[in-house]
Structure formats: structure tokens, C-alpha cells
Amino acid sequence: MNATAPDSPALSHVSEDGTPTPVEVENLQFHYGSFHALKDLNLRFAGTGATALIGPSGCGKSTFLRIFNRIYELYPGQHAEGSIRIDGENVLDPHTDLNELRTKVGMVFQRPTPFPMSIFENVAFAVRKVQRIGKQELADRVEWSLSKAGLWEEVKDSLRKPGSALSGGQQQRLCIARTIALQPSVLLLDEPTSALDPYSVQKVEALVEELKNEFKIIIVTHNMSQARRVSEETVFMVRGEVVEFAPTRELFDSPREDRTRAYLQVGDL
Amino acid sequence: MSRSLSFGRRAKNSLFYLFSVFTTLFALFFLGAIFWELIRSGFAGLDWSDFTENTPPPMTDGGFLNALVGSLIMTTIAMSLATVVGVLVATFLSEFRKQARLGSVVRFLNDILLSAPSIIIGLFIYALLVVPFGGFSGIAGSIALAIVALPMITRTCEDVLRIVPDQLREAGIALGLKRSTVTLRIIYRSARAGMVTAVLLALGRVAGETAPLLFTALNNSGFSANLFAPMPNLPVMIYQFAMSPYENWKELAWAASLLITVFILALNVFSRVIFRPSTSS
Ligand SMILES: Nc1ncnc2c1ncn2[C@@H]1O[C@H](COP(=O)(O)OP(=O)(O)O)[C@@H](O)[C@H]1O
Ligand SMILES: [Mg+2]
């Protein structure tokens, strides 16, 4: 029952010599109308592994993630300046092909959003639309994605059932599966476990542990121990600004900033 | 709990309760009386020849085949037009929110249309399509009915499309799907039950509309499927026959009324049944 992995998704942001190019954020500003939500972010994320974004609610974590795939452009009055470089290309470049960008930068939301179709179709739908791929290859891809998402064993006999029939935790893994089915190079997770039960949280965390070997992961979480468990580097933000950015262990064990220390002690209030 | 209420308050409460029950029964009584009369007289007039013969001259036997077919033709054309346009307008209003200003103008116009008396819609089409083109016609009737159905479909479809959470749209877009794919394959599918309900309810409304047809399709005593000639139809036939002094015409009017009422009732029940599963999920 092993998923026959179609060629494992090569990290596309790997440079010629084999080292992944980092994700570079420069002079990034974001506005909701006249509200200045992100103030001049400058960061350089490792090209592999997981980066955690933490900070009090409303500090701009989701806003930040939503720039990576430019999903904010769906709404009037929201705009970003500066640059985010993935594979050396600035995603904010006006010439960027948005649909292509979004297949390269996958996003999973806080609440699971299964499409009104079968479990199989939930995963296959976008793959079929976006890539030219044969029937058998598609079936393999679905199995591969569901296996990666730790869901295959649970759903392999009910692929025709509607996605909405799954439990919340399973739905979230289904959403992860359909995102990685496109073999993106970056995976954005916005509080992916905050609406889930403890069992599913554990499942998804294990999943992140595994996936980060293949995809660059940026995960927003309000759960400190989760950030600690799954990430190699952590960004701590307050009110649209970066307070501290450091390797995860360093940031949690010996924060340089007082504000970081205070936040880690009191938590997200 | 009731002990803490004073006697006066309890008395007022009971009185109000009795009053409500009485008023409800009063209203139900008239509704029941209407139904009873409709069923009694309707069934008396209803027989097989109603569906096989055309509307007769006074004092002779006949049916309303021509009017039934005319109604079916005009209703089908009207609903097809109104559904296509209504769904497109609703999609514009709910999916293209960046066009907020144009959207609110369109929504305002639609609301005016929704509350416009249908006789005015009839007159409008009379002036626009009947007078300039030299006569009453089935196509003018169809378009008048379509304009009655359009704002209902637009309004309800916009509402059910808006209920679909934005997160579902974002999830589709975030996978690199085109906007049109997300709308056609994901959003419509989520809102499907509600959209079908919208169309069925509009159909129920249009099925019995008389005023928009009086000035447009008028009527035709013979069988006519010609869209560019006056077209017979059930509501106008009922209107003319019910007011006539002829017994056989009155009987046909009752039978046709029963037919339309049962159809509308069935539509309403059916649309409730299909909408239930999606509201619970
Ligand atoms: N659509 C919006 N319009 C206006 N302001 C918004 C919008 N979304 C978020 N904000 C504001 O931007 C700030 C950052 O929000 P967000 O990125 O959602 O925070 P976080 O994800 O860290 O909790 C908050 O102050 C929030 O009120
Ligand atoms: Mg958030």
C-alpha cells in the first residue's frame, strides 16, 4: 500500500550547487486602506525547514503570510510594497503570473475548507486544472499527497465520499494534501491546528515535521510549544514590526529582547 | 417561575395568548375556505378533455390545451432568460466586490424592479415591444414574465452566493485556480441548492402572473405556438372566463385555477425539501 511517489517534488528553489536559496523579505510594507499593518519588514529565511511566526493576535502574522501568494489582492484597498524573493524572483513584481505563483506557494488556512466534492476530487481538482497529467499519474499523485498528509490509510476506501463528511482534523489534512499535491516549493500554514482537537493537532504537527524536509514551511502559530517543536527559526512580531528573529532554540531559551521574554512568559493574552 | 409573576401579568399573558390563537384561526379559516372552494369547484370542472381540447366558444364543451401549452412555452422562455441573466447578475454582485460602486447601483435597480407592481412591468413591455412591433405576441409575454422573475432570482442567488464563506474562494484561488474556475466549479456547487430554490420560487411566482400578460401576450382562442402572435395562456384565460356569464367558461376557469395552485404548492414544498440538506451542512 505504499504510495508510489511520482518523482519526489524537487525543491524548485534549490540553486545550481544544491543549496536552497533563502526566502528574502526586504522593506516590506502593508496597508489596509490607511492602516499601516506591516512596517518595514526585513528578514532572510532559510531555504529549507520550518520558520515559525509568533506574536500577539492582530500583530500581522496572517497579513504577512497573505503577501507571499498575493491573495490579499482579492480585496480592494489592500496593498503591499517592498519585495519578497522566492527562488530569487520577487513575488511582488507586477509581471508575476499570479496563478503560477500560487501553485508554487501553497497555503493552508486556519479553518479547514474542503471543496464541495469527493475526497479524491478535492485533491485531484486543482492538479488537473493546473498541470497536464494523465489519469493514472493523477491517481498516483492523489495517493501520494494523501499519504504525505497522513490521511491515506483513513480514506483510501472512501475516496468517493464528500470531503465534508470527514472530521475537522481529517478535513484539515485533506486541505494540506490538496495543497502539496501541486508540489509547491513553499508551504504557508496559518494557525493550521488552532481549530483542531488534540489528536489532530498531533497528527498535523507530525506532518509538518515530515513535510519540512521537502517543502519550505512558514507556519503561524499562537502555540509556543508548537513553534518550539516544529521550527528551526522563529520570528516574533508585535504590531506589524519584527521584534526578534532568531534560531528557535535561541529565541525561546535566551531571548535578546525584553518584549520577547515578557511575551514568552505571559503568552498570548 | 410563573409564581414570580403577578396575577395581573399572568392574566395579560393568557389574554394575549388567546388573542393570538384566535387571530391565527381566523386567518386560517379564510385560507381554508379559499382552498375548499378551489378544490370543490376546481375538481368539478376538471376532466380529461380539459387537456385535449382548446378553449371553446361560450356554451360549448372544450378544454384549455391551447392556454396550457402557451403558458408552458412562455414560462419556459421567461425562466430560461431570467435564470441566465439573474445568475450572471448575482455572480457579478457577489463575486466582483471590487466593483462595489457599480454593484450597489445594480442592486438598487434590482430592488426597485423587485418591488415594482407586475402590471407596470406589463405596461412597460407593452410600450417597448407591443406598440412598436405592431401587436401582442408570445415573445413580449415571455419577456414581461422574465422581468418579473429576474429580480427575484438575482436577489436570492446573490444572497446564497454570499453565504458561501470567503475562505472557500480564497482556498481555490490559493491553489492557483482561475477566478472563473473557482466560481463555476466551487462556489456554484456550494450554493447549488439555494440557487435552484431561487429559480423554483421565481417560477412559482411567474406561473400565476396575469397582469404582465394582459398587455403583452393577451390571449388567443385557438392553438398558437407562434411567438410573434398573441399567445393563449392560463392566467389571462382564467381572468376572462371567470368573469364571463357562461357556466362552462367558469368551470374551466376554476379547473385551471386549481391546476396552477397545485403546481405552485408543489413547487414550494419541493424547494423546501431540496434546500434543507445544504442549510444543515
Ligand atoms: N481586512 C482587513 N481590513 C482592515 N484591517 C485588517 C484587515 N485584516 C486585518 N486587519 C488588521 O491588521 C492587523 C493584523 O491582522 P492579522 O494579520 O490578521 O493579525 P494576526 O494574524 O497576527 O492575528 C490587525 O490589527 C487587524 O485588525
Ligand atoms: Mg491570524
Side-chain angles (χ1 to χ4, degrees), chain A residues 66 71 73-76 99 102-103 109 113-117 125-126 129 178-179 182, chain B residues 97-98 166-179 181 185-186 189-190:
Chain A
R66 292 164 65 84
I71 193 122
E73 288 184 9
L74 292 177
Y75 303 95
N99 292 337
R102 287 164 184 163
T103 58
F109 301 81
T113 50
F115 295 146
M117 41 186 94
F125 185 67
K129 287 278 168 198
R178 83 181 168 202
T179 306
L182 292 169
Chain B
R97 281 174 226 174
K98 276 196 165 181
D166 274 346
Q167 283 154 357
L168 203 59
R169 297 182 174 84
E170 289 189 1
I173 298 285
L175 287 173
L177 296 173
K178 280 183 292 199
R179 203 61 213 264
T181 309
R185 303 290 303 279
I186 297 174
R189 210 182 284 202
S190 297

Side-chain angles (χ1 to χ4, degrees), chain A residues 32-33 35 37-38 55-64 66 75 78 190-191 220:
Chain A
Y32 288 108
F35 175 61
L38 294 181
S57 16
C59 71
K61 305 181 292 294
S62 300
T63 304
F64 185 28
R66 292 164 65 84
Y75 303 95
Q78 307 191 4
D190 192 350
E191 303 198 21
V220 169

Side-chain angles (χ1 to χ4, degrees), chain B residues 235-250:
Chain B
V236 174
M237 181 210 93
I238 293 172
Y239 173 72
Q240 289 176 346
F241 283 16
M243 308 231 286
S244 77
Y246 311 112
E247 218 37 59
N248 70 318
W249 276 17
K250 283 188 187 168

